[in-house]
Amino acid sequence: MSISKSDIKFYLTSATAGVKQTNYTQSIGGYSANVNGNISDSLVYPETTLATDVSLYGESLALSSYTDLSGKTFLSSGFEIIKVDSVSSNSVSVSQRSKNGLKAAHLSGDVVRGLATESIFNDRFDDDLKQYRCLAIKNTNSTYHAYNVDVFLRYNSRNPNSVIRIALEQPRNDYITGSIASGTKTKIIDSSLKGSFDDNHFIDSNLIMTSGSNINQERIILSFDSSTGEIVLDSSLPNSASNGDTFKIEPAPAQRVSSGIVSPTFGSGRVTPLRMADRDNPLQINVTGDRDHGGDLRPNDVIYVWLERRIKDEANSFDENSTVLAINYYTVE
Amino acid sequence: MPLLSAVKMLMRFSDTSLLDDISGNQFKVKGDDSVISLDSTGIQLKINQYLYMDNISLGVTNNLGIGFWLYSKHPGVTDQNGTPKNMQVSVLDFGIGSFDTVEGDVSITTQVVRIYEEAQVDGTMKLVFSMPSNSFTAKTESYTANKRHYFWIAYNGSTLKIFVDAIDNSISTSGSVPSSISASTVILSINRLSSSGNILNNNGVLDDLIIVNTFVDSALSMQNIVNYSLDMVFNTDYASIQEADLPLLFDDPTPIRINDTFSDGPTVLVARNDGKLLQGSSLVWDVRRDFSNKGEQDVSNVFGSDIGFEDNYLRVKNGIIKL
């Protein structure tokens, strides 16, 4: 067994850890908005799976459950966008295959997403006709890794007057789990962390207690002392942390901008420069060269993708434009 | 019949690596030697021409895989009354034989495999895989002509499958699946009229032909070949690669530029490059700079190709003011 494509999920981002994101224009950095325990929250698009195989020219789709896609007239499977009659049941009639010019065959179990033009981007641009969004790519498999991960645009834009560029932002820390040696309501000590990470390596990350009297409590990490393995929380837990209590630390947040027309910082620190990043020149997730988990997305790891859309001055409107964000990885080391 | 990719033909044997073309072997042309080169991406055969390659050591006994893209063209043949006729359309064949230099033609003593299309009277096509020396035939369901399809034939001595566009096709068969296939050293032909009777040369396009001595029948393998490339299945460097995609859908608006503004106390008149004159709050406009019309009020039905302000007067060129 190994990781499968359906384990790689794409989420919106949110200013606050553990809070769902329902507003696309607010997906502008911060935390992956996937709420603890529910992998369906804050997906970029609602999704389901195919119930049967679909050939290159198939004219109908059978969904396993249509509920979350009800009313959608654009679906995607793999890299193909398909125009359909409004979804109202598990049996969906196709009105146009390869809406984005990419043709594909699809198998039972493949992920199907419900798209809409009025979602990811809006009509708000800065003076240079640019706007920005931040998405989180997450490995939701609890066991298997995605190795040597690259991110690229399978194709850029169908509109020659509109250009998409992407940048990757590596979280300061990747996902880890730990066990408490001793603690209070505001501090916990995990001896195994001593000397393993730099001071404040986990700052701003979301810590979630996974056992003990504080189970499911979430707190933001204010500081981390490498010499002692001590983590200071932003507010008190209901009870003192006890020896043997376990916890998990989510990947650190990305930078967050004040609006979608404010440019994030690119090309320094843990953020790559903006690139058109095609298949031959992808972006690699180990941005700094010393990412905790190297070039791998381990279970619950996240990498952030910044999208910049720029339209040319004097361009005409272009409906139903699209791009395809792709992630390439190995299933074995 | 045009063949793309310079008739890229890949063969893989258990004791060799995947080759991009047949080392030491070249396709030869039967008939008029001159073929039409398609910008170095392939060749186009003229009528009555076919390609052949002799002395190919396939080494196939029990496992065989044949795959190719085919742009299928219905020949549209009718009888004298205009009634459509079922016709065979050649694709490829291989058998035991040689090229007869006297006759100037391939001479087959044992026809091992014939693959051809069968044009249907309703305008569709079916693919036929035949092993004549074993009296076995498998035929696909109908598929649409004038489209590019991917075919994969998988044989392992007990099972014969034909995938059309990555999906396991419900084939009809005649005879029993042969337990072995005699294809040690064969002569391969493309677009040869491999039988007498109602058979025509193919007017379609063949691409990415591969013949392997491996039984490949997984739906995932078929999807990888069709959606990505042969490398995803047959190149060990790609064997463990997966790619996950997220298509993003959006409308691109017309970028609106402000030609001119006129501020009169709490309100601002905005002349846009799309010929509209709008009135709004200067504070809202300065802060929002939204390129939609929402919340802004069209002023007095004024439209023009050039709207602006001069000396506190409204200037409208090539436009109208509706009273």
Side-chain angles (χ1 to χ4, degrees):
Chain A
M1 292 288 285
S2 61
I3 194 170
S4 68
K5 294 182 190 183
S6 60
D7 294 322
I8 302 297
K9 296 211 180 287
F10 301 84
Y11 293 100
L12 301 176
T13 51
S14 169
T16 308
V19 173
K20 289 193 291 188
Q21 181 59 267
T22 57
N23 186 340
Y24 285 94
T25 62
Q26 288 299 306
S27 184
I28 45 178
Y31 299 86
S32 169
N34 159 235
V35 177
N36 180 34
N38 189 345
I39 65 171
S40 298
D41 282 339
S42 305
L43 290 167
V44 175
Y45 296 115
E47 59 184 53
T48 182
T49 56
L50 284 174
T52 58
D53 297 342
V54 183
S55 75
L56 285 177
Y57 301 105
E59 296 179 347
S60 65
L61 307 176
L63 305 179
S64 57
S65 172
Y66 79 97
T67 310
D68 290 341
L69 275 60
S70 181
K72 297 295 185 186
T73 56
F74 290 95
L75 303 181
S76 74
S77 181
F79 47 69
E80 181 183 3
I81 295 177
I82 304 169
K83 184 95 166 65
V84 300
D85 296 344
S86 179
V87 176
S88 59
S89 72
N90 285 340
S91 177
V92 180
S93 295
V94 171
S95 55
Q96 184 180 351
R97 292 288 301 268
S98 310
K99 182 68 181 170
N100 57 345
L102 297 180
K103 195 184 276 108
H106 310 286
L107 300 181
S108 174
D110 283 354
V111 172
V112 176
R113 298 184 175 95
L115 278 56
T117 55
E118 64 279 2
S119 54
I120 189 68
F121 291 122
N122 63 3
D123 289 353
R124 190 104 192 273
F125 294 83
D126 68 9
D127 290 347
D128 295 322
L129 300 177
K130 297 177 181 177
Q131 63 178 216
Y132 301 92
R133 297 291 183 266
C134 182
L135 306 179
I137 302 176
K138 183 174 183 177
N139 174 7
T140 61
N141 191 290
S142 60
T143 307
Y144 299 109
H145 302 190
Y147 298 96
N148 291 331
V149 178
D150 290 338
V151 181
F152 60 98
L153 291 171
R154 190 172 296 284
Y155 74 82
N156 195 282
S157 164
R158 295 178 60 237
N159 178 8
N161 293 316
S162 173
V163 176
I164 305 293
R165 294 195 294 173
I166 61 171
L168 294 186
E169 181 163 351
Q170 167 191 314
R172 181 185 289 106
N173 68 272
D174 290 323
Y175 178 88
I176 67 162
T177 58
S179 178
I180 295 173
S182 63
T184 65
K185 290 185 179 181
T186 58
K187 297 177 184 179
I188 63 172
I189 294 177
D190 180 349
S191 305
S192 69
L193 298 179
K194 277 168 44 175
S196 297
F197 302 98
D198 293 338
D199 285 341
N200 291 323
H201 185 66
F202 302 103
I203 196 171
D204 293 330
S205 294
N206 192 28
L207 181 146
I208 303 171
M209 299 298 296
T210 53
S211 73
S213 59
N214 294 304
I215 189 170
N216 294 327
Q217 291 291 316
E218 302 183 27
R219 298 291 185 274
I220 298 299
I221 296 172
L222 285 184
S223 66
F224 168 69
D225 187 336
S226 180
S227 66
T228 60
E230 180 185 87
I231 294 172
V232 177
L233 307 176
D234 67 337
S235 62
S236 294
L237 295 165
N239 307 290
S240 284
S242 301
N243 175 267
D245 289 352
T246 57
F247 63 91
K248 59 186 179 182
I249 301 177
E250 300 273 305
Q255 62 184 305
R256 184 166 174 88
V257 293
S258 57
S259 82
I261 60 172
V262 173
S263 173
T265 300
F266 297 114
S268 72
R270 296 184 302 279
V271 189
T272 69
L274 277 169
R275 290 281 184 268
M276 293 173 72
D278 58 18
R279 201 161 194 262
D280 293 329
N281 295 287
L283 298 176
Q284 295 173 332
I285 68 171
N286 190 1
V287 176
T288 60
D290 64 353
R291 179 172 168 268
D292 291 352
H293 295 159
D296 305 337
L297 273 182
R298 298 185 186 178
N300 299 305
D301 274 351
V302 164
I303 187 72
Y304 299 101
V305 180
W306 285 96
L307 301 163
E308 178 197 74
R309 171 169 75 148
R310 177 171 58 90
I311 55 176
K312 295 181 181 177
D313 201 359
E314 306 298 331
N316 292 322
S317 63
F318 189 104
D319 290 342
E320 298 169 8
N321 192 8
S322 60
T323 186
V324 178
L325 182 65
I327 169 171
N328 171 293
Y329 53 91
Y330 287 83
T331 58
V332 296
E333 198 165 12
Chain B
M1 177 195 209
L3 297 100
L4 298 182
S5 305
V7 199
K8 181 172 68 179
M9 182 168 139
L10 311 168
M11 284 186 165
R12 186 184 189 200
F13 308 96
S14 58
D15 58 349
T16 65
S17 59
L18 190 67
L19 302 175
D20 195 33
D21 56 68
I22 305 304
S23 176
N25 289 293
Q26 297 292 329
F27 272 112
K28 302 168 189 173
V29 180
K30 189 278 177 187
D32 181 354
D33 282 342
S34 62
V35 295
I36 301 170
S37 176
L38 298 174
D39 297 326
S40 303
T41 62
I43 59 173
Q44 179 162 347
L45 298 174
K46 302 174 187 174
I47 194 167
N48 293 328
Q49 281 185 325
Y50 63 82
L51 297 177
Y52 69 95
M53 187 182 293
D54 52 10
N55 289 321
I56 300 173
S57 297
L58 279 186
V60 172
T61 52
N62 293 103
N63 295 313
L64 176 66
I66 303 175
F68 50 90
W69 285 96
L70 181 66
Y71 183 92
S72 178
K73 284 280 282 183
H74 194 284
V77 175
T78 65
D79 64 16
Q80 59 193 7
N81 299 317
T83 303
K85 293 184 65 174
N86 281 87
M87 298 292 295
Q88 292 185 8
V89 182
S90 64
V91 179
L92 66 90
D93 70 277
F94 57 83
I96 299 169
S98 61
F99 187 82
D100 187 328
T101 53
V102 174
E103 295 293 328
D105 205 351
V106 165
S107 173
I108 299 293
T109 54
T110 304
Q111 185 71 71
V112 178
V113 165
R114 278 188 68 217
I115 299 175
Y116 58 92
E117 294 185 279
E118 191 178 85
Q120 307 298 301
V121 297
D122 63 359
T124 64
M125 304 288 279
K126 294 184 179 182
L127 190 81
V128 182
F129 172 85
S130 168
M131 298 172 78
S133 58
N134 301 94
S135 301
F136 173 75
T137 301
K139 187 184 300 186
T140 67
E141 297 175 304
S142 288
Y143 51 86
T144 310
N146 302 323
K147 282 186 188 289
R148 192 165 178 256
H149 298 279
Y150 190 78
F151 298 96
W152 180 268
I153 297 155
Y155 161 83
N156 70 350
S158 60
T159 300
L160 190 284
K161 293 183 178 181
I162 302 179
F163 292 81
V164 181
D165 299 332
I167 305 301
D168 193 357
N169 199 265
S170 180
I171 57 174
S172 60
T173 59
S174 170
S176 302
V177 178
S179 59
S180 65
I181 182 171
S182 175
S184 179
T185 302
V186 299
I187 181 166
L188 168 72
S189 304
I190 295 177
N191 205 29
R192 188 175 74 92
L193 299 179
S194 51
S195 76
S196 58
N198 290 338
I199 185 166
L200 301 169
N201 290 119
N202 202 309
N203 204 27
V205 181
L206 181 71
D207 195 8
D208 275 1
L209 172 64
I210 178 171
I211 302 177
V212 296
N213 62 345
T214 311
F215 181 70
V216 178
D217 75 331
S218 73
L220 182 60
S221 294
M222 294 302 105
Q223 184 188 44
N224 278 335
I225 294 175
V226 167
N227 291 358
Y228 298 101
S229 72
L230 290 160
D231 281 338
M232 291 288 274
V233 175
F234 293 104
N235 188 326
T236 53
D237 290 342
Y238 292 77
S240 57
I241 286 182
Q242 282 184 1
E243 293 189 349
D245 293 276
L246 178 70
L248 298 169
L249 184 70
F250 47 93
D251 292 332
D252 289 326
T254 300
I256 302 297
R257 291 293 191 190
I258 307 304
N259 283 347
D260 210 344
T261 59
F262 178 76
S263 180
D264 181 19
T267 63
V268 62
L269 291 173
V270 176
R272 307 194 328 180
N273 68 336
D274 62 346
K276 291 191 176 180
L277 182 69
L278 303 175
Q279 175 179 302
S281 157
S282 59
L283 180 62
V284 172
W285 180 255
D286 287 343
V287 170
R288 193 181 58 177
R289 298 186 70 88
D290 197 316
F291 291 127
S292 70
N293 291 340
K294 301 187 184 83
E296 292 165 328
Q297 177 186 346
D298 285 340
V299 175
S300 302
N301 295 323
V302 179
F303 304 95
S305 63
D306 177 4
I307 295 180
F309 300 95
E310 287 181 15
D311 298 328
N312 296 335
Y313 288 94
L314 176 66
R315 179 191 74 245
V316 179
K317 289 184 180 179
N318 298 321
I320 58 172
I321 300 176
K322 291 186 177 180
L323 300 178

